[in-house]
Amino acid sequence: MAYDLLVKNGMIVDGSGLPRFRGDIGVKDGRIAEIGRLTGASATETLDAEGHVVSPGFVDGHTHMDAQIFWDPIGTSSCYQGVTSVVMGNCGFTLAPCREAEADLVFRNLERAEDISRAAMLAGIKWRWETFPEFLDVLESLPKGINYAGYVGHCALRTYVMGQRAFTDEATEGDLKKMVHLVKEAVAAGAHGFSTTRSVNHQTSDDKPVASRLASWSEFETLVRTMGAGMVEVAGEPTGASSEKARLYYEGLSKLAIESGRPITFGLFNRRKMPGGWRSTFDIIERTAAQGGNMFAQVHSRALSVLLSFETHTPFDKWDVWKDMRGRPLAEQQKMLRDPEMRRRLVEVASKPYDGPQVRGTEARPPEWEHVFALTDMAGPHKSMAELARQRNTHPVELMIDMALERDMKFFMMQPIANENQAEALELMKHPRSVVTFSDSGAHVSQIMDSSLQTHLLSHWVRERQAFTLEEAVKLITCDTATQFGFHDRGLVREGMAADLVVFDPDTVGPRMPEVVTDLPAEAKRLRQKADGMRATIVNGQVLLRDNEPTGNLPGKLLRKRRN
């Protein structure tokens, strides 16, 4: 057989968890045609994987690329980390259904809660849909580097049916009837399922709850019970998993999963102030499985951290004195920070107790310096700003300014807001009812950078800590994730499967330092991150990235959910 692509001499880690083996992979018509020692085989393109691992493409079940897909066809920063398939539309935040004239209603949900620039969306999105099936058709027509699936989101659903009332009122019987019809329509057209948020952290830019937070439990329950097929993703409240309120909440999700037959998934993290609180949630997940329901948790491979910098956000951007300085160009700020009197005033203000509005989600918050860490390299261990300040006999704010000036303002600090305890993070990853996926790629674009959770798993937990074998870790981010999210022709290196592959060096793979770039529409800023050790990323049988640089191929597909 003449192949379209031949990947030769690689060490194949096939995603099953079974031991690696040396072999070649022949690809034809976007699928894996043959695996073995393909001596003498011919191919249109040959990729020599000598000294590298060949694994299935990584699968990310929690992204927000719904807007980004319109201006970034290759899917950065996820594609740089070996991700070949993503699920977007999480947490109830989608761009459909929506009439073009009412686009600001969905922008209102996205702008603050997911830190997606309204100006970028206005400049970068050409509106060509109203219904969710029409939106899927538009997505199918777009050039794509990686594969995308998408939920229909509760926030867009409510604003489409209720308009401005979605932000203030409970749904009427007539409103709910329309929403039920629209969810069924979306699912029938290939939506991955239905997503919602009940999280207190999700607010509009005018400090109001996003639309789905006004929904009663009865409304949410009705939509799930009547959708007929697909998954349910929920960003839930409360965050304290050991509280009675939390127990009742997760018990309610469990009952719904059992009775509706819908798989229900949500993020689960450890919290510094509530050690071990997540364990009771896994008890409920286990009982759900025993009763015929399907619930699983999405977990992270490291701390969920806000990245602080003068290039993006500091904790003090809205404080007196700071507010005026931070409104100026970065070069001018740099000069002001060198002025002794200005520095004295900045430190004085930053040392006062915070008395402003409550911080939500992944926004920068007043620092506890013992728990804010200098990100001077990716490997760590990272020292707290309090510890470093003591070593230099200075104030942490003075240190923050000095370290920024020493690096020409390119200095990041990490402010963990969840998953702070890495021993518990490891327990969460190893739990059989969890899936390692929660990048939020496409959202929080100037606040966090977690697109690299997969390469962090391979570098930190496999190579440095040896907490997983390479085979175990690859399985977590390929077969396990693909299976839970219903991508049954992906996540394994098997003949007949889609040829989504990653070729990487296990000795060097790992995330690079993040950087601030201005490459969004309307010149909006975002964080971007690449990775080391990536030889090639292959999507549907075509090389998307070679040595982590785009080849010009755009082989990605819209993955419509198939119905039984």
Side-chain angles (χ1 to χ4, degrees), residues 277-299:
W278 49 271
R279 291 193 175 93
S280 61
T281 303
F282 272 126
D283 292 340
I284 295 171
I285 292 174
E286 292 284 14
R287 290 199 298 272
T288 304
Q291 296 175 64
N294 182 2
M295 289 208 311
F296 65 94
Q298 300 175 30
V299 303

Side-chain angles (χ1 to χ4, degrees), residues 307 373-378 382-383 411-414 513-514:
L307 292 186
F373 301 89
L375 182 60
T376 52
D377 59 68
M378 291 305 300
H382 302 105
K383 293 184 177 180
F411 169 61
F412 287 108
M413 299 178 295
M414 298 184 299
M513 284 287 287

Side-chain angles (χ1 to χ4, degrees), residues 198 217 220-221 237-238 240-256 280-281 284 287 295:
R198 302 178 66 82
W217 182 266
F220 167 58
E221 191 175 46
E237 60 171 320
S242 64
S243 69
E244 179 64 10
K245 183 179 179 183
R247 185 188 68 78
L248 292 172
Y249 171 74
Y250 288 114
E251 292 282 9
L253 286 181
S254 172
K255 183 173 184 287
L256 187 55
S280 61
T281 303
I284 295 171
R287 290 199 298 272
M295 289 208 311

Side-chain angles (χ1 to χ4, degrees), residues 144-147 538-544 551-557:
K144 295 175 287 295
I146 60 175
N147 304 308
I538 299 162
V539 180
N540 297 312
Q542 296 183 42
V543 180
L544 171 67
T551 62
N553 294 328
L554 294 172
K557 295 181 178 180

Side-chain angles (χ1 to χ4, degrees), residues 143-397:
K144 295 175 287 295
I146 60 175
N147 304 308
Y148 296 87
Y151 298 105
V152 58
H154 199 176
C155 286
L157 197 67
R158 282 190 121 240
T159 53
Y160 182 72
V161 170
M162 300 173 64
Q164 292 287 352
R165 290 189 300 115
F167 296 97
T168 55
D169 296 356
E170 287 194 12
T172 66
E173 186 177 341
D175 294 333
L176 186 54
K177 186 176 181 180
K178 291 176 184 176
M179 283 190 270
V180 166
H181 168 74
L182 291 166
V183 170
K184 287 182 175 180
E185 177 185 65
V187 167
H192 199 71
F194 168 73
S195 72
T196 191
T197 179
R198 302 178 66 82
S199 172
V200 294
N201 290 326
H202 288 152
Q203 291 188 331
T204 63
S205 26
D206 56 352
D207 298 321
K208 300 293 193 303
V210 296
S212 71
R213 284 183 54 203
L214 275 295
S216 65
W217 182 266
S218 176
E219 176 184 324
F220 167 58
E221 191 175 46
T222 298
L223 293 171
V224 172
R225 288 180 184 276
T226 58
M227 59 191 284
M231 291 179 56
V232 177
E233 185 274 337
V234 54
E237 60 171 320
T239 56
S242 64
S243 69
E244 179 64 10
K245 183 179 179 183
R247 185 188 68 78
L248 292 172
Y249 171 74
Y250 288 114
E251 292 282 9
L253 286 181
S254 172
K255 183 173 184 287
L256 187 55
I258 294 165
E259 295 179 356
S260 70
R262 298 298 94 225
I264 295 179
T265 184
F266 46 82
L268 194 61
F269 298 86
N270 71 68
R271 307 280 174 174
R272 175 166 55 90
K273 296 181 180 179
M274 295 192 68
W278 49 271
R279 291 193 175 93
S280 61
T281 303
F282 272 126
D283 292 340
I284 295 171
I285 292 174
E286 292 284 14
R287 290 199 298 272
T288 304
Q291 296 175 64
N294 182 2
M295 289 208 311
F296 65 94
Q298 300 175 30
V299 303
H300 211 298
S301 65
R302 62 181 174 213
L304 175 58
S305 296
V306 179
L307 292 186
L308 307 171
S309 77
F310 282 97
E311 291 184 282
T312 52
H313 306 283
T314 79
F316 313 111
D317 290 353
K318 297 179 181 179
W319 294 29
D320 289 343
V321 185
W322 286 83
K323 184 176 181 180
D324 176 67
M325 181 192 73
R326 293 289 288 143
R328 300 170 186 262
L330 193 62
E332 191 172 339
Q333 293 182 49
Q334 194 170 8
K335 291 180 181 179
M336 294 174 75
L337 291 173
R338 296 187 186 280
D339 177 74
E341 176 57 22
M342 173 57 72
R343 287 171 62 116
R344 185 195 65 77
R345 293 173 62 202
L346 291 171
V347 172
E348 180 182 19
V349 169
S351 301
K352 295 178 180 177
Y354 177 70
D355 61 356
Q358 187 172 0
V359 176
R360 295 292 184 187
T362 56
E363 297 169 351
R365 59 213 59 214
E368 300 175 65
W369 291 112
E370 294 287 356
H371 301 286
V372 176
F373 301 89
L375 182 60
T376 52
D377 59 68
M378 291 305 300
H382 302 105
K383 293 184 177 180
S384 74
M385 293 296 287
E387 179 184 356
L388 292 171
R390 287 192 290 269
Q391 290 176 3
R392 293 197 188 188
N393 194 28
T394 189
H395 190 284
V397 180

Side-chain angles (χ1 to χ4, degrees), residues 478-507:
T478 59
C479 183
D480 286 359
T481 313
T483 300
Q484 285 284 29
F485 284 92
F487 301 132
H488 300 303
D489 62 343
R490 298 170 200 274
L492 284 170
V493 179
R494 290 284 191 278
E495 292 177 5
M497 301 286 274
D500 293 349
L501 303 167
V502 184
V503 183
F504 64 89
D505 180 354
D507 295 329

Side-chain angles (χ1 to χ4, degrees), residues 60-71 76 78 86-95 109-110 113-116 121 148-151 153 195-197 202 233 235 298 438-445 448 451:
D60 192 337
H62 195 112
T63 78
H64 293 273
M65 293 190 178
D66 308 64
Q68 180 178 324
I69 191 174
F70 286 90
W71 57 74
T76 61
S78 292
V86 302
V87 183
M88 57 187 184
N90 284 271
C91 307
F93 299 123
T94 56
L95 297 174
N109 288 312
L110 288 163
E114 297 299 331
D115 184 35
I116 302 175
M121 288 188 283
Y148 296 87
Y151 298 105
S195 72
T196 191
T197 179
H202 288 152
E233 185 274 337
Q298 300 175 30
F438 205 98
S439 75
D440 264 346
S441 285
H444 311 295
V445 296
I448 67 172
S451 298

